[in-house]
């Protein structure tokens, strides 16, 4: 397997090949994902929810994201490694955006992702001008949860749908190499995908995007209920972990583990 690069990812859309992206937050999990040959590993700021037990991603800091980028990068050989820029790491100024994106690259990332609205288009332009590829993220942007008043499907009315189509074009125009479409109606996601040259990567955006992303803990069934409608669990790791932990607990309590076989002479 060869290293996945930004040009490879853009090419995939032209060849009509689906792009697969999965989040990771540590080296061991990243290594398992990498060895399956998926295209992109995302160090998502979803680590706020998944790893840190927060209700939203707003408190996640640059230092935390860079730390997780560094440890994930040690488990990755071939997948492209993208890191999420956390809340307030790019909103205040172009300088912030460039410097913080640079910290990710020094930590091992090969591109950064930013949640975009009309006010931050120029952050994409500035970061990619500095030589750092940018993935945009539109639709439901979890960093705007306070403004949205919760996690709601976006682009349901005509005005909002038109706005998202224009926003996607602006993101492409500013130099992004791909765009995450989160929680929007599938017909709108299809229209956006057909309106731009760069790949769209969907999460809760239906089957017509150029690729799909899932949070690893959701995919393997580690996340507690309730899970969003768009998540498909491919395993129930929560159940498997609980079962093995209970067996260990019982064997220790009953004097079965450790046996002489697990002991040194
Ligand atoms: O933070 C994250 O994990 C994400 C993906 C769900 C796209 O932004």
């Amino acid at each position: 397997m060869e290293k996945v690069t930004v040009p490879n990812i853009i090419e995939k859309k032209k060849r009509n090949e689906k792009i697969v992206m999965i989040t990771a937050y540590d080296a061991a999990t990243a290594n398992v994902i990498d060895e399956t040959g998926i295209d992109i590993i995302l160090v998502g700021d979803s680590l706020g929810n998944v790893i840190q037990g927060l209700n939203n991603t707003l408190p996640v800091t640059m230092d935390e994201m860079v730390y997780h980028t560094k440890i994930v990068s040690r488990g990755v050989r071939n997948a492209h490694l993208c890191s999420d820029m956390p809340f307030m790491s790019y909103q205040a100024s172009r300088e912030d955006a460039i410097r913080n994106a640079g910290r990710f690259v020094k930590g091992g990332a090969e591109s950064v992702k930013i949640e975009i609205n009309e006010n931050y288009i120029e952050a994409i332009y500035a970061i990619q001008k500095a030589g750092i590829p940018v993935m945009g993220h539109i639709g439901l942007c979890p960093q705007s949860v306070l403004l949205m008043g919760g996690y709601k499907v976006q682009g349901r009315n005509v005005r909002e749908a038109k706005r998202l189509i224009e926003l996607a074009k602006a993101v492409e125009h500013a130099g992004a190499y791909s765009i995450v479409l989160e929680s929007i109606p599938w017909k709108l996601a299809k229209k956006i995908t057909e309106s731009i040259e760069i790949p769209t990567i969907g999460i809760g955006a239906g089957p017509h995007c150029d690729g799909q992303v899932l949070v690893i803990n959701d995919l393997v069934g580690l996340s507690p209920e309730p899970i969003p409608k768009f998540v498909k669990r491919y395993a129930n790791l929560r159940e498997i972990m609980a079962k093995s932990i209970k067996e260990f607990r019982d064997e220790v309590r009953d004097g079965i583990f450790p046996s002489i076989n697990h002991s040194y002479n």
Side-chain angles (χ1 to χ4, degrees):
M1 273 187 282
E2 286 191 0
K3 183 75 191 166
V4 179
T5 63
V6 163
N8 296 152
I9 294 163
I10 296 168
E11 264 301 300
K12 276 191 164 247
K13 175 163 184 152
K14 298 198 177 106
R15 288 205 302 263
N16 223 2
E17 287 173 21
K18 292 278 187 185
I19 296 158
V20 185
M21 177 159 97
I22 302 177
T23 68
Y25 315 104
D26 64 83
T29 314
N31 192 239
V32 174
I33 298 170
D34 187 68
E35 289 190 351
T36 65
I38 67 111
D39 304 299
I40 308 174
I41 291 181
L42 172 71
V43 184
D45 64 350
S46 51
L47 67 82
N49 308 91
V50 174
I51 304 295
Q52 300 175 331
L54 295 165
N55 286 335
N56 61 50
T57 57
L58 301 182
V60 176
T61 66
M62 269 303 295
D63 286 349
E64 289 162 352
M65 288 302 299
V66 171
Y67 168 75
H68 282 275
T69 298
K70 283 183 180 163
I71 61 174
V72 165
S73 73
R74 293 179 199 135
V76 179
R77 271 170 77 98
N78 298 309
H80 176 82
L81 182 57
C82 179
S83 288
D84 245 344
M85 296 194 64
F87 181 58
M88 277 303 136
S89 66
Y90 55 91
Q91 286 92 339
S93 70
R94 289 164 71 100
E95 287 73 19
D96 271 3
I98 297 169
R99 274 200 199 96
N100 285 324
R103 284 188 65 194
F104 280 111
V105 173
K106 287 181 187 289
E110 293 154 323
S111 67
V112 294
K113 175 165 83 58
I114 49 182
E115 295 183 11
I116 286 294
N117 66 34
E118 288 76 1
N119 301 316
Y120 302 117
I121 293 288
E122 68 160 22
I124 300 178
Y125 184 73
I127 295 169
Q128 70 90 29
K129 268 288 210 193
I132 302 169
V134 183
M135 180 184 287
H137 180 151
I138 68 171
L140 194 164
C141 291
Q143 291 175 20
S144 303
V145 62
L146 301 179
L147 215 56
M148 292 182 301
Y151 298 106
K152 297 173 185 160
V153 176
Q154 303 292 301
R156 279 213 150 123
N157 63 51
V158 177
R159 195 174 55 88
E160 186 55 16
K162 274 192 187 150
R163 188 197 138 238
L164 285 175
I165 294 169
E166 289 316 309
L167 184 57
K169 288 181 184 167
V171 168
E172 174 175 39
H173 194 67
Y177 74 93
S178 61
I179 309 185
V180 166
L181 305 179
E182 179 163 352
S183 294
I184 62 173
W186 68 265
K187 285 184 185 160
L188 173 59
K190 183 169 186 283
K191 201 160 189 177
I192 293 175
T193 301
E194 288 165 356
S195 312
I196 56 178
E197 304 270 310
I198 57 172
T200 59
I201 303 177
I203 178 160
H208 299 292
C209 297
D210 299 305
Q212 293 293 326
V213 52
L214 275 182
V215 166
I216 184 67
N217 292 47
D218 292 342
L219 185 161
V220 297
L222 250 186
S223 309
E225 301 277 357
I227 52 165
K229 178 179 176 171
F230 59 76
V231 168
K232 180 168 175 185
R233 284 177 157 167
Y234 289 84
N236 193 338
L237 232 54
R238 222 180 145 77
E239 211 172 277
I240 294 169
M241 279 178 78
K243 185 170 171 291
S244 38
I245 292 163
K246 281 181 194 157
E247 272 178 42
F248 170 70
R249 176 198 67 194
D250 293 344
E251 289 200 357
V252 170
R253 286 180 180 162
D254 296 343
I256 297 169
F257 180 85
S259 68
I260 294 300
N261 286 343
H262 290 99
S263 309
Y264 297 108
N265 286 321

